[in-house]
């Protein structure tokens, strides 16, 4: 896989999850076993807006030839996916989310490893 394809895939994942949490937070929350009270729905919409924005950044910048911009995208992906991975592991171990949380853990881990791969070997993976 080349870097533009990875960024496009990561962006599409962010956009899709972002839209779900933003537009249908009740469904998104219930899939993860999280109560769907109004305050949780509001927080889910905030989360969805952030996912949507970052997904769009990755998608729209996927073909940039600028090495500094690619590095910034990858570093942001590493931080965001690393924190998301840790939060997913913690929330599942604390019993705060259902089994579907493992899907998020897997996605965060895969996206983290992909970003690390492209960051550490950029000259051979563009």
């Amino acid at each position: 896989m080349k870097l533009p394809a990875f960024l496009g895939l990561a962006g599409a994942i962010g956009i899709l999850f972002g839209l779900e949490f933003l537009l249908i937070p009740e469904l998104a929350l219930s899939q993860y076993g999280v109560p769907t009270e109004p305050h949780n729905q509001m927080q889910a919409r905030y989360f969805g807006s952030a996912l949507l924005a970052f997904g769009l950044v990755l998608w729209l910048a996927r073909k940039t030839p600028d090495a500094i911009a690619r590095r910034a995208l990858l570093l942001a992906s590493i931080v965001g996916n690393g924190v998301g991975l840790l939060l997913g592991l913690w929330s599942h171990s604390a019993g705060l989310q259902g089994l579907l949380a493992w899907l998020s853990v897997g996605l965060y881990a895969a996206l983290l490893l992909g970003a690390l791969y492209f960051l550490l070997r950029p000259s051979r993976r563009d």
Side-chain angles (χ1 to χ4, degrees):
M1 177 180 285
K2 295 186 182 267
L3 180 58
F6 172 76
L7 293 176
L9 177 63
I13 290 169
I15 291 167
L16 291 174
F17 275 85
L19 286 172
E20 180 186 21
F21 278 94
L22 184 63
L23 300 175
I24 46 176
E26 304 88 355
L27 175 63
L29 291 170
S30 66
Q31 289 173 330
Y32 287 90
V34 175
T36 59
E37 285 95 11
H39 64 280
N40 287 350
Q41 291 181 37
M42 180 198 64
Q43 291 299 322
R45 284 189 167 106
Y46 279 124
F47 176 60
S49 69
L51 279 176
L52 178 62
F54 191 64
L56 284 169
V57 167
L58 293 176
W59 177 264
L60 295 171
R62 70 190 183 279
K63 294 182 181 178
T64 183
D66 187 316
I68 295 171
R70 289 192 310 262
R71 180 173 172 79
L73 292 170
L74 292 171
L75 287 171
S77 294
I78 289 166
V79 171
N81 289 310
V83 171
L85 174 64
L86 293 174
L87 287 171
L89 291 170
W90 171 77
S91 68
H92 186 70
S93 68
L96 299 174
Q97 292 185 340
L99 289 176
L100 193 61
W102 288 114
L103 172 65
S104 292
V105 168
L107 282 172
Y108 280 127
L111 294 172
L112 173 63
L113 291 173
L116 283 168
Y117 174 78
F118 286 108
L119 183 69
L120 296 176
R121 301 180 69 124
S123 62
R124 294 178 36 194
R125 304 295 179 221
D126 292 343

